[in-house]
Coordinates of all heavy atoms in Angstrom, one line a residue:
V1058 N 11.6 18.7 -6.3 CA 12.6 17.8 -5.5 C 12.3 16.4 -5.9 O 11.2 15.9 -6.0 CB 12.4 17.9 -4.0 CG1 13.3 17.0 -3.2 CG2 12.5 19.4 -3.5
L1059 N 13.4 15.6 -6.3 CA 13.3 14.2 -6.6 C 13.9 13.4 -5.5 O 15.0 13.6 -5.1 CB 14.1 13.9 -7.9 CG 14.3 12.4 -8.3 CD1 12.9 11.8 -8.5 CD2 15.2 12.2 -9.4
L1060 N 13.0 12.5 -4.9 CA 13.4 11.6 -3.9 C 13.3 10.2 -4.4 O 12.2 9.7 -4.7 CB 12.5 11.8 -2.6 CG 12.6 13.2 -2.0 CD1 11.6 13.2 -0.8 CD2 14.0 13.6 -1.5
D1061 N 14.4 9.5 -4.6 CA 14.5 8.2 -5.1 C 14.8 7.2 -4.1 O 15.9 7.0 -3.6 CB 15.6 8.1 -6.2 CG 15.5 6.8 -7.0 OD1 14.7 6.0 -6.7 OD2 16.3 6.7 -7.9
E1062 N 13.7 6.5 -3.6 CA 13.8 5.4 -2.6 C 14.6 6.0 -1.4 O 15.6 5.4 -0.9 CB 14.6 4.2 -3.1 CG 13.9 3.5 -4.3 CD 12.7 2.6 -3.8 OE1 12.4 2.5 -2.6 OE2 12.2 1.9 -4.7
P1063 N 14.2 7.1 -0.8 CA 15.0 7.7 0.3 C 15.0 7.0 1.6 O 15.9 7.2 2.4 CB 14.3 9.1 0.4 CG 12.8 8.8 0.1 CD 12.9 7.9 -1.1
F1064 N 14.1 6.0 1.8 CA 14.1 5.4 3.1 C 14.5 3.9 3.0 O 14.4 3.1 3.9 CB 12.7 5.4 3.7 CG 12.1 6.8 3.7 CD1 10.7 7.0 3.3 CD2 12.8 7.9 4.0 CE1 10.2 8.2 3.4 CE2 12.2 9.1 4.1 CZ 10.9 9.3 3.7
S1065 N 15.1 3.5 1.8 CA 15.4 2.1 1.6 C 16.4 1.5 2.6 O 16.4 0.3 2.8 CB 15.8 1.9 0.2 OG 17.0 2.7 -0.1
S1066 N 17.3 2.4 3.1 CA 18.3 1.9 4.0 C 17.9 1.9 5.5 O 18.7 1.4 6.3 CB 19.6 2.7 3.8 OG 19.3 4.1 4.2
L1067 N 16.7 2.3 5.8 CA 16.3 2.4 7.2 C 15.6 1.1 7.6 O 14.9 0.4 6.8 CB 15.4 3.6 7.3 CG 16.0 5.0 7.0 CD1 14.9 6.1 7.2 CD2 17.2 5.3 7.8
D1068 N 15.6 0.8 8.9 CA 14.8 -0.3 9.4 C 13.4 0.1 9.5 O 13.0 1.3 9.3 CB 15.4 -0.7 10.8 CG 15.3 0.4 11.9 OD1 14.3 1.2 11.9 OD2 16.3 0.5 12.6
A1069 N 12.5 -0.8 9.8 CA 11.1 -0.6 9.7 C 10.6 0.5 10.6 O 9.8 1.4 10.2 CB 10.3 -1.9 10.0
E1070 N 11.1 0.6 11.8 CA 10.7 1.6 12.8 C 11.1 3.0 12.3 O 10.3 3.9 12.3 CB 11.2 1.3 14.2 CG 10.8 2.3 15.2 CD 11.3 2.0 16.6 OE1 11.9 0.9 16.8 OE2 11.0 2.8 17.5
N1071 N 12.4 3.2 12.0 CA 12.8 4.5 11.5 C 12.2 4.9 10.2 O 11.9 6.1 10.0 CB 14.4 4.5 11.3 CG 15.1 4.7 12.6 OD1 14.7 5.4 13.5 ND2 16.2 4.0 12.8
R1072 N 11.9 3.9 9.3 CA 11.2 4.2 8.1 C 9.8 4.8 8.3 O 9.5 5.8 7.7 CB 11.1 2.9 7.3 CG 10.6 3.1 5.8 CD 10.5 1.7 5.1 NE 10.2 1.9 3.7 CZ 11.0 1.6 2.7 NH1 12.2 1.1 2.9 NH2 10.6 1.8 1.5
A1073 N 9.1 4.2 9.2 CA 7.7 4.7 9.5 C 7.8 6.1 10.1 O 7.0 7.0 9.7 CB 7.1 3.7 10.5
V1074 N 8.8 6.4 11.0 CA 8.9 7.7 11.6 C 9.3 8.7 10.5 O 8.7 9.8 10.4 CB 9.9 7.7 12.7 CG1 10.2 9.1 13.2 CG2 9.4 6.8 13.9
M1075 N 10.3 8.3 9.7 CA 10.8 9.2 8.6 C 9.7 9.6 7.6 O 9.6 10.7 7.1 CB 12.0 8.7 7.9 CG 13.3 8.8 8.7 SD 13.7 10.5 9.0 CE 13.9 11.1 7.3
R1076 N 8.9 8.6 7.3 CA 7.8 8.9 6.3 C 6.9 10.1 6.8 O 6.6 11.0 6.1 CB 6.8 7.7 6.2 CG 7.3 6.5 5.4 CD 6.4 5.4 5.5 NE 6.7 4.2 4.7 CZ 6.2 3.0 4.8 NH1 5.3 2.8 5.7 NH2 6.6 2.0 4.1
M1077 N 6.5 10.0 8.1 CA 5.6 11.0 8.6 C 6.3 12.4 8.7 O 5.8 13.4 8.5 CB 5.1 10.6 10.0 CG 4.3 9.3 9.9 SD 3.0 9.2 8.6 CE 2.0 10.6 9.1
Q1078 N 7.6 12.3 9.2 CA 8.4 13.6 9.3 C 8.6 14.2 8.0 O 8.4 15.5 7.8 CB 9.7 13.3 10.0 CG 9.6 12.9 11.5 CD 10.9 12.6 12.1 OE1 11.9 12.3 11.4 NE2 11.0 12.7 13.4
V1079 N 9.0 13.5 7.0 CA 9.3 14.0 5.6 C 8.0 14.5 5.0 O 7.9 15.6 4.4 CB 9.9 13.0 4.7 CG1 10.0 13.4 3.3 CG2 11.4 12.7 5.2
H1080 N 6.9 13.8 5.2 CA 5.6 14.2 4.7 C 5.2 15.6 5.3 O 4.8 16.5 4.5 CB 4.5 13.1 5.0 CG 3.2 13.4 4.4 ND1 2.2 14.0 5.1 CD2 2.7 13.3 3.1 CE1 1.1 14.2 4.4 NE2 1.4 13.7 3.2
S1081 N 5.4 15.7 6.6 CA 5.0 17.0 7.2 C 5.9 18.1 6.7 O 5.4 19.2 6.5 CB 5.2 16.8 8.7 OG 4.9 18.0 9.4
I1082 N 7.2 17.8 6.6 CA 8.2 18.9 6.1 C 7.8 19.4 4.7 O 7.7 20.6 4.5 CB 9.6 18.3 6.2 CG1 10.1 18.1 7.6 CG2 10.6 19.3 5.5 CD1 11.4 17.3 7.8
L1083 N 7.6 18.4 3.8 CA 7.3 18.8 2.4 C 6.0 19.5 2.3 O 5.9 20.4 1.5 CB 7.4 17.5 1.6 CG 8.8 16.9 1.5 CD1 8.7 15.6 0.7 CD2 9.8 17.8 0.9
K1084 N 5.0 19.1 3.1 CA 3.7 19.7 3.0 C 3.8 21.2 3.5 O 3.2 22.1 3.0 CB 2.7 19.0 3.9 CG 2.1 17.8 3.3 CD 1.2 18.1 2.1 CE 0.4 16.9 1.6 NZ -0.5 17.3 0.5
S1085 N 4.7 21.4 4.5 CA 4.8 22.8 5.1 C 5.5 23.7 4.1 O 5.2 24.9 4.1 CB 5.6 22.7 6.4 OG 7.0 22.4 6.1
L1086 N 6.3 23.1 3.2 CA 7.1 23.9 2.2 C 6.2 24.2 1.0 O 6.4 25.2 0.3 CB 8.3 23.2 1.8 CG 9.4 23.1 2.9 CD1 10.6 22.3 2.4 CD2 9.9 24.5 3.3
G1087 N 5.3 23.3 0.7 CA 4.5 23.4 -0.5 C 5.3 23.1 -1.8 O 4.9 23.5 -2.9
S1088 N 6.4 22.4 -1.6 CA 7.2 22.0 -2.8 C 6.6 20.9 -3.6 O 5.8 20.1 -3.1 CB 8.6 21.6 -2.3 OG 9.3 22.6 -1.5
T1089 N 6.9 20.9 -4.9 CA 6.6 19.8 -5.8 C 7.6 18.7 -5.6 O 8.8 19.0 -5.8 CB 6.5 20.2 -7.2 OG1 5.5 21.2 -7.4 CG2 6.2 19.1 -8.1
V1090 N 7.2 17.5 -5.3 CA 8.1 16.4 -5.0 C 7.7 15.2 -5.9 O 6.6 14.8 -6.0 CB 8.1 16.0 -3.5 CG1 9.0 14.8 -3.3 CG2 8.4 17.2 -2.6
V1091 N 8.7 14.7 -6.6 CA 8.6 13.4 -7.3 C 9.2 12.4 -6.4 O 10.5 12.4 -6.2 CB 9.2 13.5 -8.7 CG1 9.1 12.1 -9.4 CG2 8.6 14.6 -9.5
F1092 N 8.4 11.4 -5.9 CA 8.9 10.4 -4.9 C 8.8 9.1 -5.6 O 7.8 8.6 -6.0 CB 8.0 10.5 -3.7 CG 8.5 9.7 -2.5 CD1 9.1 10.4 -1.5 CD2 8.3 8.4 -2.5 CE1 9.5 9.7 -0.4 CE2 8.8 7.6 -1.4 CZ 9.4 8.3 -0.3
V1093 N 10.0 8.4 -5.7 CA 10.1 7.1 -6.4 C 10.1 6.0 -5.3 O 11.0 6.1 -4.4 CB 11.3 7.0 -7.3 CG1 11.4 5.6 -7.9 CG2 11.3 8.1 -8.3
T1094 N 9.3 5.1 -5.3 CA 9.3 4.0 -4.3 C 8.7 2.7 -4.9 O 7.8 2.8 -5.8 CB 8.5 4.4 -3.1 OG1 8.5 3.3 -2.1 CG2 7.0 4.7 -3.4
H1095 N 9.1 1.6 -4.4 CA 8.5 0.3 -4.8 C 7.6 -0.2 -3.6 O 7.0 -1.2 -3.7 CB 9.6 -0.8 -5.0 CG 10.3 -0.6 -6.3 ND1 11.4 0.3 -6.4 CD2 10.1 -1.2 -7.5 CE1 11.8 0.2 -7.6 NE2 11.1 -0.6 -8.3
D1096 N 7.5 0.6 -2.6 CA 6.6 0.3 -1.4 C 5.2 0.9 -1.6 O 5.0 2.1 -1.6 CB 7.3 0.9 -0.2 CG 6.6 0.5 1.1 OD1 5.3 0.5 1.2 OD2 7.3 0.1 2.1
Q1097 N 4.3 0.0 -1.9 CA 2.9 0.4 -2.1 C 2.3 1.3 -1.0 O 1.7 2.3 -1.2 CB 2.0 -0.8 -2.4 CG 2.4 -1.6 -3.6 CD 3.3 -2.8 -3.2 OE1 4.1 -2.7 -2.2 NE2 3.1 -3.9 -3.8
E1098 N 2.5 0.8 0.2 CA 2.0 1.6 1.4 C 2.6 3.0 1.4 O 1.9 3.9 1.7 CB 2.4 0.8 2.7 CG 1.8 1.5 3.9 CD 2.2 0.8 5.2 OE1 2.6 -0.4 5.1 OE2 2.1 1.3 6.3
E1099 N 3.9 3.1 1.1 CA 4.5 4.4 1.1 C 3.9 5.3 0.0 O 3.7 6.5 0.3 CB 6.0 4.2 0.8 CG 6.9 5.3 1.3 CD 8.3 4.7 1.4 OE1 9.0 4.6 0.3 OE2 8.8 4.4 2.5
A1100 N 3.7 4.8 -1.1 CA 3.1 5.6 -2.2 C 1.7 6.1 -1.9 O 1.4 7.2 -2.1 CB 3.0 4.7 -3.5
L1101 N 0.9 5.2 -1.3 CA -0.5 5.6 -0.9 C -0.5 6.6 0.2 O -1.3 7.5 0.3 CB -1.3 4.4 -0.5 CG -1.5 3.3 -1.7 CD1 -2.3 2.1 -1.1 CD2 -2.3 4.0 -2.8
L1102 N 0.5 6.5 1.1 CA 0.5 7.3 2.3 C 1.0 8.7 1.9 O 0.5 9.7 2.4 CB 1.5 6.7 3.4 CG 1.8 7.6 4.6 CD1 0.5 7.7 5.4 CD2 2.9 7.0 5.4
L1103 N 2.0 8.8 1.1 CA 2.7 10.1 0.8 C 2.2 10.8 -0.4 O 2.4 12.0 -0.5 CB 4.2 9.9 0.7 CG 5.0 9.3 1.9 CD1 6.4 9.1 1.6 CD2 4.8 10.2 3.1
G1104 N 1.6 10.1 -1.3 CA 1.3 10.8 -2.6 C 0.0 11.5 -2.6 O -1.0 11.0 -2.1
D1105 N 0.0 12.7 -3.2 CA -1.3 13.4 -3.5 C -1.8 12.8 -4.8 O -3.0 12.7 -5.0 CB -1.1 14.9 -3.7 CG -0.7 15.6 -2.4 OD1 -1.3 15.2 -1.4 OD2 0.3 16.4 -2.4
R1106 N -0.9 12.5 -5.7 CA -1.2 11.7 -7.0 C -0.2 10.6 -7.1 O 1.0 10.8 -6.8 CB -1.2 12.6 -8.2 CG -2.4 13.6 -8.2 CD -2.3 14.6 -9.4 NE -2.5 13.9 -10.7 CZ -3.6 13.4 -11.2 NH1 -4.7 13.6 -10.4 NH2 -3.7 12.9 -12.3
V1107 N -0.6 9.5 -7.6 CA 0.2 8.3 -7.7 C 0.3 7.9 -9.1 O -0.8 7.8 -9.8 CB -0.3 7.2 -6.8 CG1 0.6 5.9 -7.0 CG2 -0.2 7.6 -5.3
A1108 N 1.4 7.6 -9.6 CA 1.6 7.0 -11.0 C 2.2 5.6 -10.8 O 3.2 5.4 -10.2 CB 2.5 7.8 -11.8
V1109 N 1.5 4.6 -11.3 CA 1.9 3.2 -11.2 C 2.6 2.9 -12.6 O 1.9 3.0 -13.6 CB 0.8 2.2 -10.9 CG1 1.3 0.8 -10.9 CG2 0.1 2.6 -9.6
M1110 N 3.8 2.4 -12.5 CA 4.6 2.1 -13.8 C 4.9 0.7 -13.9 O 5.1 0.0 -12.9 CB 5.9 2.9 -13.8 CG 5.7 4.4 -13.7 SD 7.2 5.4 -14.0 CE 7.5 5.0 -15.7
S1111 N 4.9 0.2 -15.1 CA 5.3 -1.2 -15.4 C 6.2 -1.2 -16.7 O 5.8 -0.6 -17.7 CB 4.1 -2.1 -15.6 OG 4.5 -3.4 -16.1
T1112 N 7.4 -1.8 -16.6 CA 8.3 -1.8 -17.7 C 8.5 -0.4 -18.4 O 8.5 -0.3 -19.6 CB 7.9 -2.8 -18.8 OG1 6.6 -2.5 -19.3 CG2 7.8 -4.2 -18.1
G1113 N 8.6 0.6 -17.5 CA 8.9 1.9 -18.0 C 7.7 2.7 -18.5 O 7.8 3.8 -19.0
K1114 N 6.5 2.1 -18.5 CA 5.3 2.8 -19.0 C 4.3 3.0 -17.8 O 4.2 2.2 -16.9 CB 4.6 2.0 -20.1 CG 5.5 1.8 -21.3 CD 4.7 1.0 -22.3 CE 5.6 0.8 -23.6 NZ 4.9 0.0 -24.6
I1115 N 3.6 4.2 -17.9 CA 2.6 4.5 -16.8 C 1.3 3.7 -17.1 O 0.7 3.8 -18.2 CB 2.3 6.0 -16.8 CG1 3.5 6.8 -16.3 CG2 1.1 6.2 -15.8 CD1 3.3 8.3 -16.3
E1116 N 1.0 2.8 -16.1 CA -0.3 2.0 -16.2 C -1.5 2.9 -15.8 O -2.5 2.7 -16.4 CB -0.1 0.8 -15.4 CG 0.8 -0.2 -15.8 CD 0.2 -1.2 -16.8 OE1 -1.0 -1.4 -16.7 OE2 1.0 -1.8 -17.6
Q1117 N -1.3 3.7 -14.8 CA -2.4 4.5 -14.3 C -1.9 5.6 -13.4 O -0.9 5.5 -12.8 CB -3.4 3.6 -13.5 CG -4.7 4.3 -13.0 CD -5.6 3.4 -12.3 OE1 -5.3 2.2 -12.2 NE2 -6.8 3.9 -11.9
I1118 N -2.6 6.7 -13.5 CA -2.2 7.9 -12.6 C -3.5 8.5 -12.0 O -4.5 8.6 -12.7 CB -1.4 8.9 -13.4 CG1 -0.9 10.0 -12.5 CG2 -2.2 9.5 -14.6 CD1 0.1 11.0 -13.1
G1119 N -3.4 8.8 -10.8 CA -4.6 9.4 -10.1 C -4.4 9.5 -8.6 O -3.2 9.4 -8.1
T1120 N -5.4 9.8 -7.9 CA -5.3 9.9 -6.4 C -5.1 8.5 -5.8 O -5.4 7.5 -6.5 CB -6.6 10.5 -5.8 OG1 -7.7 9.6 -6.0 CG2 -6.9 11.9 -6.4
P1121 N -4.5 8.4 -4.7 CA -4.3 7.1 -4.0 C -5.6 6.4 -3.9 O -5.7 5.2 -4.2 CB -3.7 7.5 -2.7 CG -3.0 8.8 -2.9 CD -3.8 9.5 -3.9
E1122 N -6.6 7.1 -3.4 CA -7.9 6.4 -3.3 C -8.5 5.9 -4.6 O -9.0 4.8 -4.7 CB -8.9 7.3 -2.6 CG -8.6 7.7 -1.2 CD -7.7 9.0 -1.1 OE1 -7.2 9.4 -2.2 OE2 -7.5 9.6 0.0
G1123 N -8.4 6.8 -5.6 CA -9.0 6.4 -6.9 C -8.3 5.2 -7.6 O -9.0 4.4 -8.1
I1124 N -7.0 5.2 -7.5 CA -6.3 4.1 -8.1 C -6.5 2.8 -7.3 O -6.7 1.7 -7.9 CB -4.7 4.4 -8.1 CG1 -4.5 5.5 -9.2 CG2 -3.9 3.1 -8.4 CD1 -3.0 5.8 -9.3
F1125 N -6.5 2.8 -6.0 CA -6.7 1.6 -5.2 C -8.1 1.1 -5.4 O -8.3 -0.1 -5.5 CB -6.5 1.9 -3.7 CG -6.6 0.7 -2.8 CD1 -5.5 -0.1 -2.6 CD2 -7.8 0.4 -2.2 CE1 -5.6 -1.2 -1.8 CE2 -7.9 -0.7 -1.4 CZ -6.8 -1.5 -1.2
Q1126 N -9.1 2.0 -5.4 CA -10.5 1.5 -5.5 C -11.0 1.2 -7.0 O -11.9 0.4 -7.2 CB -11.4 2.6 -4.9 CG -11.2 2.8 -3.4 CD -12.0 3.9 -2.9 OE1 -12.8 4.6 -3.6 NE2 -11.8 4.2 -1.6
N1127 N -10.3 1.8 -7.9 CA -10.7 1.6 -9.3 C -9.4 1.3 -10.2 O -9.1 2.2 -11.1 CB -11.4 2.8 -9.9 CG -12.8 2.9 -9.2 OD1 -13.7 2.2 -9.4 ND2 -12.8 4.0 -8.3
P1128 N -8.7 0.2 -10.0 CA -7.5 -0.1 -10.8 C -7.8 -0.2 -12.2 O -8.8 -0.8 -12.6 CB -7.0 -1.4 -10.2 CG -8.2 -2.0 -9.6 CD -9.0 -0.9 -9.1
A1129 N -7.0 0.4 -13.1 CA -7.3 0.3 -14.5 C -6.8 -1.0 -15.2 O -7.2 -1.2 -16.3 CB -6.5 1.5 -15.2
S1130 N -6.1 -1.8 -14.5 CA -5.6 -3.0 -15.1 C -5.3 -4.0 -13.9 O -5.2 -3.6 -12.8 CB -4.3 -2.8 -15.9 OG -3.2 -2.5 -15.0
R1131 N -5.2 -5.3 -14.3 CA -4.9 -6.3 -13.3 C -3.6 -6.0 -12.6 O -3.4 -6.3 -11.5 CB -5.0 -7.7 -13.9 CG -4.7 -8.8 -12.9 CD -5.1 -10.1 -13.4 NE -4.6 -11.2 -12.4 CZ -5.1 -12.4 -12.4 NH1 -6.1 -12.7 -13.1 NH2 -4.6 -13.2 -11.5
F1132 N -2.6 -5.6 -13.4 CA -1.3 -5.3 -12.9 C -1.4 -4.3 -11.7 O -0.8 -4.4 -10.7 CB -0.4 -4.7 -14.0 CG 1.0 -4.2 -13.4 CD1 2.0 -5.1 -13.2 CD2 1.2 -2.9 -13.1 CE1 3.2 -4.7 -12.7 CE2 2.4 -2.5 -12.6 CZ 3.4 -3.4 -12.4
V1133 N -2.2 -3.2 -11.9 CA -2.3 -2.2 -10.9 C -3.0 -2.8 -9.7 O -2.6 -2.5 -8.6 CB -3.1 -1.0 -11.5 CG1 -3.4 0.1 -10.3 CG2 -2.4 -0.3 -12.6
A1134 N -4.0 -3.6 -9.9 CA -4.8 -4.2 -8.8 C -3.9 -5.1 -8.0 O -3.9 -5.1 -6.8 CB -5.9 -5.0 -9.4
E1135 N -3.0 -5.8 -8.7 CA -2.1 -6.7 -7.9 C -1.0 -5.9 -7.2 O -0.5 -6.3 -6.2 CB -1.4 -7.7 -8.9 CG -2.4 -8.7 -9.4 CD -1.7 -9.7 -10.4 OE1 -1.1 -9.2 -11.4 OE2 -1.8 -10.9 -10.2
F1136 N -0.6 -4.8 -7.8 CA 0.5 -4.0 -7.3 C 0.1 -3.3 -6.0 O 0.9 -3.2 -5.0 CB 1.1 -3.0 -8.3 CG 2.3 -2.3 -7.8 CD1 3.5 -2.8 -7.8 CD2 2.2 -0.9 -7.4 CE1 4.6 -2.1 -7.4 CE2 3.3 -0.2 -7.0 CZ 4.5 -0.8 -7.0

Side-chain angles (χ1 to χ4, degrees):
V1058 180
L1059 172 63
L1060 299 179
D1061 188 359
E1062 299 279 4
F1064 310 138
S1065 58
S1066 63
L1067 301 179
D1068 59 42
E1070 183 177 355
N1071 279 325
R1072 188 180 185 116
V1074 171
M1075 279 299 298
R1076 281 174 180 167
M1077 301 311 297
Q1078 290 179 339
V1079 169
H1080 184 260
S1081 177
I1082 291 168
L1083 295 176
K1084 280 290 188 181
S1085 69
L1086 293 176
S1088 302
T1089 297
V1090 180
V1091 179
F1092 192 101
V1093 180
T1094 180
H1095 288 83
D1096 187 315
Q1097 300 95 323
E1098 181 181 345
E1099 203 160 78
L1101 296 175
L1102 174 67
L1103 298 178
D1105 294 318
R1106 290 178 64 78
V1107 175
V1109 180
M1110 301 186 69
S1111 174
T1112 61
K1114 297 180 180 180
I1115 293 178
E1116 290 270 336
Q1117 187 174 358
I1118 186 168
T1120 64
E1122 295 90 346
I1124 288 182
F1125 185 85
Q1126 295 171 5
N1127 296 286
S1130 67
R1131 178 165 175 160
F1132 173 83
V1133 175
E1135 289 179 307
F1136 185 76

